[in-house]
Structure formats: structure tokens, C-alpha cells
Amino acid sequence: MGARDVLTVSAKGQVVIPQSIRIELGITPGSEVEVRREGTGVMIRLKNVRPVSKLVDGFGMLKYSGKKRLEDFDIGIEMRKHATKRK
């Protein structure tokens, strides 16, 4: 997209920044932009880019101090326990 693209405003007042611009500027979900009025127009300026989270970034966040067993992490077993309690 070029310098004079037309964007549509949604019912909630949202606009979508074209993908090519998001990639070029490194805009990711959670990035902050500053919006201000300039005369009869609007200026949008990139304020803070949020780096993309990776699954490995969350490794080690949850701690468990008891005996570790594979069964403790089986969601199927937990679902069956919960289902039998309902009966």
C-alpha cells in the first residue's frame, strides 16, 4: 500500500493498519500507537513496539514442588475425574 491509502472505520471506531506497514514498522499485537488531531486530519505515530512472545519465553513460569508424575499432567484423567463427580 502507498502513502495515500483509504481505510474504513468500523462501527467501534477501529481502523486496520495495512499488513505491509505493520511488517515494515514491526508493529505487533500489543504495540502502542499515539493518535492526535492535526488540523482536519489525524496523525498516527508508533509509540512503543511490543516484541512477539514465544512459547519458550514462558518456560519455567509455573513452579511445582511436589513429586512429579506424568499422570499429574494428563488432562484426560482430570476430565474423567470431573465427569464422574457430576454423576
Side-chain angles (χ1 to χ4, degrees), residues 21-35:
I21 294 173
R22 292 191 318 260
I23 290 170
E24 186 178 325
L25 296 176
I27 299 172
T28 58
S31 295
E32 295 178 350
V33 293
E34 177 182 72
V35 180

Side-chain angles (χ1 to χ4, degrees), residues 14-64:
Q14 300 166 325
V15 294
V16 176
I17 300 170
Q19 182 180 18
S20 59
I21 294 173
R22 292 191 318 260
I23 290 170
E24 186 178 325
L25 296 176
I27 299 172
T28 58
S31 295
E32 295 178 350
V33 293
E34 177 182 72
V35 180
R36 69 177 173 189
R37 182 177 170 192
E38 285 194 359
T40 60
V42 176
M43 167 66 81
I44 300 175
R45 179 179 304 231
L46 183 58
K47 183 176 179 186
N48 184 16
V49 174
R50 179 179 178 154
V52 177
S53 298
K54 297 179 185 117
L55 182 61
V56 73
D57 294 339
F59 183 75
M61 287 177 57
L62 303 175
K63 302 293 181 195
Y64 179 72

Side-chain angles (χ1 to χ4, degrees), residues 48-86:
N48 184 16
V49 174
R50 179 179 178 154
V52 177
S53 298
K54 297 179 185 117
L55 182 61
V56 73
D57 294 339
F59 183 75
M61 287 177 57
L62 303 175
K63 302 293 181 195
Y64 179 72
S65 59
K67 182 178 177 185
K68 296 181 182 179
R69 301 176 306 167
L70 185 57
E71 307 80 69
D72 294 335
F73 304 102
D74 188 342
I75 189 69
I77 291 172
E78 293 303 316
M79 290 175 70
R80 285 189 290 279
K81 284 182 192 175
H82 187 68
T84 56
K85 288 180 184 177
R86 286 188 189 177

